[in-house]
């Protein structure tokens, strides 16, 4: 194992569990599937669909822990997503970070 990954925990679980169980000061990489409600993803065949209700649950989990964890969320820039994630800092083009 690389020294850079020492102390890093990689997991693939329900996002609510991961966010809730993360120790204070944790950094979480969040990469949710694109919403199936978007016309651009109608043909995408996700094994586990991620609808707007899941995005709202993700937002609430991140808001609840926003004072004691840090995170980066990757997502396609679209109006709906930009509006939805505003309460936790919004989405930015990588040149804006």
């Amino acid at each position: 194992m690389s020294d850079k990954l020492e102390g890093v925990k990689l997991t693939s679980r329900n996002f609510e569990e991961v966010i809730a169980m993360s120790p204070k000061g944790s950094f979480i990489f969040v990469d949710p599937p694109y919403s199936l409600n978007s016309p651009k993803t109608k043909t995408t065949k996700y094994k586990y669909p991620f609808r707007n209700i899941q995005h709202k649950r993700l937002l609430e989990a991140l808001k609840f822990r926003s004072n004691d964890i840090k995170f980066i969320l990757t997502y396609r820039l679209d109006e709906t997503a930009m509006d939805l994630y505003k309460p936790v800092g919004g989405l930015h083009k990588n040149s804006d970070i």
Side-chain angles (χ1 to χ4, degrees), residues 16-76:
E16 289 163 318
E17 291 175 27
V18 172
I19 293 168
M21 67 185 244
S22 296
K24 187 175 184 174
S26 292
F27 176 80
I28 302 173
F29 176 78
V30 184
D31 186 30
Y34 297 138
S35 175
L36 294 181
N37 298 339
S38 168
K40 292 182 180 178
T41 56
K42 291 292 184 199
T43 59
T44 303
K45 292 184 168 86
Y46 286 116
K47 185 175 180 179
Y48 303 104
F50 210 76
R51 298 193 181 347
N52 282 347
I53 189 70
Q54 281 91 358
H55 280 286
K56 290 177 183 175
R57 286 179 29 223
L58 174 58
L59 171 66
E60 290 306 313
L62 292 170
K63 278 178 22 183
F64 184 75
R65 293 295 309 275
S66 64
N67 289 329
D68 50 315
I69 64 166
K70 294 185 186 295
F71 65 90
I72 188 167
L73 185 143
T74 61
Y75 201 73
R76 173 191 64 234

Side-chain angles (χ1 to χ4, degrees), residues 85-97:
Y85 288 103
K86 276 183 185 175
V88 290
L91 299 177
H92 308 276
K93 293 179 184 176
N94 27 354
S95 62
D96 293 342
I97 298 175

